[in-house]
Structures are given as C-alpha cells and as structure tokens.
Amino acid sequence: MARQYFGTDGIRGRVNQQPMTAETALRLAIAAARTFAPDGKGAVVIGRDTRNSGEMIEAALVAGLASMGLTPLLAGIVPTPAVAMTTRTTSACFGLMVSASHNKYEDNGIKLFSPEGLKFDDPTEEALEAAMAAAFDDSFAPPETIATPQRMVGVGDDYVRSCLATVSSGSKIKGMKVVLDCAHGAGFETAPEALLHCGADLTVIGAGPDGMNINAGYGSTDTGALKAAVLNCGADIGLALDGDADRVIVVDETGAEIDGDQVMALIARELHATGRLKGGGIVSTVMSNMGLDQYLQSVGLTLARTRVGDRYVGEHMRAHGFNFGGEPSGHIILSDVSTTGDGLLAGLHVLSVLAASGQKMSALARVFEPAPQELVNIRYSGPNPMDSARVKAALAEAEILMGARGRMVARKSGTEPLIRVMAEALEADLMKQALQLVVDAVKAEA
C-alpha cells in the first residue's frame, strides 16, 4: 500500500508541511494509544533532539496521549537509543523520539519504539496509518482519566552508565586524544560525559545547540570540521555523531574518514576473536561493499543483507540469532546492549579496540580491500523517477553489463526527496560505466 506518513525510519519531513505537522503528531499519538494501550492505561516515553520545532511536536504528542488517558513521560533532549532503552526499562506502552536524525533543522520527525525498545515492522506501521486517518472519529478518555505529563530525571545519565558498562575495565582509553563532534544534536551532553568518564583527552566540537544549527557544518554527514580538529589537535581519532546520536562516523589520525563497512569489520573481528559474536556473522544492508562480504567469508563468517534501514537490520538480527549488524552510514547495532543503532556505544567499542591494539587508527581500520564503489544522490521533484520506464531499462542494462562482477542498487530515499544510486564492481571502469548509465537516466526523469 502507498504510505502517507511513514518512510524508512518513522515519519519525517519539512516542519509545518505534510506529513510533518502538529496535526500529524496529534493523530499519531491518538492512533498509537488506541493501538497499543486500548484500555487507556500506562505511560509513554517521549524524547527529542535539539531542533527548535521539537517542543511543538512534543506538545502535540503530549496532547494526544493525555487525551487518551496515557501518561506522557518527558525525557527531554536525549539520544534516540536512550529513548529505546528507557521505554524498555520503564515498561512503557511504547516510546516516541522527536527527531529528523541527520537532516537540517527545517525538518523534523517521529520514531516509534515498542515496549521492548524495538522499531515497529511494516505491517504495524501500515496499521498505524489506517488508525491515524480515523484518529478524530472515535471516543477519548473521560475527563477524570485525562493524564498529566511527568518530566523524567536522569535518563541521559542512565543511558551513559549502560554504554560505559560495555567498556572493558582494562581499557586504555585513558589519555587517548579524541575529538568528538556532537552535531549540535541530542548527544551533546551524554557523549562527552561518557568519554570524559573513560579518561579520554577530549576535544568537543558541535556541542552548542541553538535550535537551528543541528547538523549544520558538523556531524556525521559533514565531517570537515571534525577532520580539521583532529589534525589541529594531533588527535588519535575523531568521532562524529548525527543529530539524534544513533550513528557514528570515525576519522583517523590523518583526518581521513573511515568507511562504515571497515568500522563494522573491525568490531566484528574483535567480537569474533573474543567469542562474543553470535549467529556466525553479521547483518548489513544491500549498500555494504562486496569487499566486506569477501573478508567475512575468508575468516569463516557470513554477511546477511537486508533492505536499507537499521530497523530491517535489527529485524533480521532478531529473527536469525545475530547480535551485531549495521549500515555503512554508521548505524551500528550491538544488540546485547542496545536495541537500535547507537553512535556512542559503537564509538566506545572502536576506542576500546584502538586502545588495545597499539596501532594507529589509519592502519587498524584497513581491515579489507574494498571493491570500487560509488554512491550518487540525485534530488528530484515530481513523480518518483524509479517508476519510469527509462530508469528501469537503464537498471536492466547495467545489471547485464556487470553480471556477477558487480552490483547496482538504486532506490528512493525514505527520508529525503533523493534517488540514491550505488554501483560497485571488481573493476573500477566497469563500475563507473554501469553507474553512469543509471545516473543519466535518473537525472533525465528528475
């Protein structure tokens, strides 16, 4: 079915335009209350990032939940994984995170979590969409059961303690020179707190949110400031979070950004060596490099691929007994600790491996030789170019051209009006030729 509200990761869009309006938030809160707490009893955790629209969206969610008799528990500005964790530990009916992740401040979004701290599957989201359409057509809580919101205290501290519990007591992070970029986002307090507790020689950037500077010139999608700071400070490593701190990008001591597949390979190798990797391999998406697959096979492990989106990675992990997975974009799930992508948790694991290795990050993170790969993002207006005959024909031609020596992935973004075209092949010339075929066709339809 065609979706009106939900994309790859919850609901997201330009604030005060469909689908990201206060009315949408109100409808969602009412629909979720009826769906997951039909008896009108229980509590719901709500967190948000630093966007200036966050309190507006939060207020609409509060109104909808309270009108249904549910108690809104306001966690304040906290990372997305903290909301997932708190939903689970408080036995809440469900959790809500107000964030548009890596998008700029003009956008906002809402992510949902089950009582177990898990993102909902597609059928559940489709049922919620149907319930949202009829949100104002049914009865509400009687006046005497309308709930009063409650402000939570210490959610960020509890989350930090949970992450720190995973760091080996013998870790040599103490004294390591680390630059941390908080993207002026939800992790601007929790992430520095955690790294300072570990004794890191810490330089923090992107930690002065003003409501409109989230992800602007900082964070996981704009690492220029982090790279410069690493070089200026002579740091051992740089870590960049995104706006809701559920992903991390790593920069080595030379200022070079490390591919997310290499980061996953590094963590997987450490987990496997210490007997902590479950499922016989890892889970990633169709966007992961062929080189990662070949490396894992060489050490007796497997790579399972899913659709793009950390919730699909998480679903496959749970269904097949894996405890580690992620995306090249930096969403990394360590499910023995966290139910969702967690930038701080993944960053701590990388720091621990680096500290124990005695190597430079630039050497440590070259776990495998990547196949030539390129990703092109094409913005469009109007109909989805992926539906056009021209693009479908170009994709078919590209697949024939590459055969078994390469892969092509072209998809509509679930968070922005973009078509993402990724090509990889064992030979760079073959990859570029196939990529150009599809990119030209998409641009012609965009």
Side-chain angles (χ1 to χ4, degrees):
M1 61 173 286
R3 292 180 170 222
Q4 181 179 353
Y5 297 108
F6 286 93
T8 303
D9 195 6
I11 300 172
R12 189 179 305 187
R14 184 61 56 97
V15 173
N16 284 341
Q17 296 179 18
Q18 286 295 343
M20 201 58 248
T21 66
E23 180 186 332
T24 294
L26 181 62
R27 285 182 177 274
L28 175 63
I30 294 168
R34 290 199 180 115
T35 301
F36 304 119
D39 60 356
K41 297 178 181 178
V44 178
V45 176
I46 306 177
R48 56 186 171 87
D49 67 21
T50 56
R51 291 162 216 273
N52 65 340
S53 59
E55 289 181 284
M56 178 188 77
I57 302 301
E58 179 189 69
L61 292 171
V62 166
L65 296 171
S67 74
M68 298 302 296
L70 300 185
T71 301
L73 302 178
L74 306 183
I77 295 173
V78 292
T80 287
V83 171
M85 182 195 79
T86 306
T87 301
R88 186 174 71 251
T89 58
T90 58
S91 300
C93 298
F94 54 95
L96 297 162
M97 177 65 185
V98 182
S99 175
S101 191
H102 61 276
N103 294 30
K104 296 296 192 291
Y105 86 94
E106 296 94 342
D107 293 349
N108 215 329
I110 306 170
K111 301 180 182 183
L112 291 92
F113 294 95
S114 74
E116 297 77 30
L118 305 173
K119 293 181 178 179
F120 290 115
D121 58 18
D122 287 336
T124 302
E125 288 185 346
E126 289 164 7
L128 277 173
E129 287 222 354
M132 287 171 69
F136 302 148
D137 299 340
D138 209 337
S139 60
F140 294 82
E144 66 273 14
T145 63
I146 292 174
T148 301
Q150 298 179 10
R151 296 204 173 273
M152 305 185 77
V153 177
V155 171
D157 292 337
D158 290 343
Y159 164 68
V160 168
R161 280 192 291 271
S162 173
C163 290
L164 289 175
T166 70
V167 180
S168 169
S169 58
S171 171
K172 299 177 182 178
I173 294 175
K174 185 175 181 179
M176 183 185 293
K177 284 191 173 183
V178 181
V179 178
L180 174 66
D181 179 355
C182 300
H184 297 304
F188 83 101
E189 292 179 322
T190 51
E193 178 186 343
L195 296 190
L196 287 172
H197 182 88
C198 291
D201 181 355
L202 186 63
T203 299
V204 182
I205 63 175
D210 64 8
M212 294 184 288
N213 61 358
I214 188 170
N215 300 313
Y218 292 87
S220 63
T221 53
D222 196 341
T223 56
L226 176 62
K227 293 173 180 177
V230 166
L231 294 175
N232 290 338
C233 297
D236 299 303
I237 188 173
L239 301 173
L241 305 176
D242 66 341
D244 66 336
D246 69 348
R247 74 165 75 178
V248 66
I249 296 296
V250 180
V251 169
D252 70 23
E253 80 284 355
T254 73
E257 185 174 319
I258 298 171
D259 184 78
D261 282 335
Q262 298 282 2
V263 174
M264 286 192 288
L266 179 67
I267 296 175
R269 182 172 67 184
E270 189 264 344
L271 292 174
H272 182 50
T274 55
R276 293 179 292 157
L277 187 67
K278 300 174 184 175
I282 74 173
V283 182
S284 189
T285 72
V286 293
M287 302 301 284
S288 275
N289 194 278
M290 294 170 65
L292 174 61
D293 195 354
Q294 292 174 334
Y295 164 72
L296 291 170
Q297 288 183 42
S298 74
V299 295
L301 299 174
T302 61
L303 174 66
R305 294 183 184 271
T306 72
R307 295 170 57 186
V308 172
D310 72 326
R311 68 190 178 104
Y312 298 114
V313 172
E315 286 174 10
H316 192 92
M317 288 170 62
R318 292 189 297 277
H320 299 280
F322 294 89
N323 68 338
F324 179 62
E327 298 186 277
S329 59
H331 288 118
I332 292 177
I333 304 174
L334 292 139
S335 65
D336 288 342
V337 182
S338 180
T339 56
T340 188
D342 193 322
L344 173 58
L345 183 62
L348 287 171
H349 271 256
V350 172
L351 291 176
S352 294
V353 175
L354 175 61
S357 72
Q359 299 183 56
K360 297 287 189 183
M361 193 68 219
S362 56
L364 185 66
R366 193 72 176 184
V367 181
F368 64 87
E369 188 63 34
Q373 183 187 85
E374 192 170 337
L375 172 67
V376 177
N377 293 318
I378 304 164
R379 191 166 294 273
Y380 69 93
S381 58
N384 180 0
M386 296 300 298
D387 294 332
S388 74
R390 183 200 299 255
V391 172
K392 290 177 181 178
L395 281 168
E397 184 178 352
E399 289 175 2
I400 292 171
L401 177 66
M402 289 193 293
R405 301 187 64 76
R407 296 190 309 124
M408 174 74 67
V409 179
R411 66 181 185 89
K412 175 182 176 294
S413 168
T415 59
E416 300 176 81
L418 297 173
I419 300 298
R420 305 191 192 278
V421 183
M422 186 278 287
E424 68 177 3
L426 299 179
E427 298 89 25
D429 288 346
L430 179 62
M431 178 272 292
K432 289 183 179 295
Q433 185 180 354
L435 179 68
Q436 200 61 53
L437 277 172
V438 178
V439 167
D440 287 346
V442 173
K443 286 182 175 179
E445 299 292 328

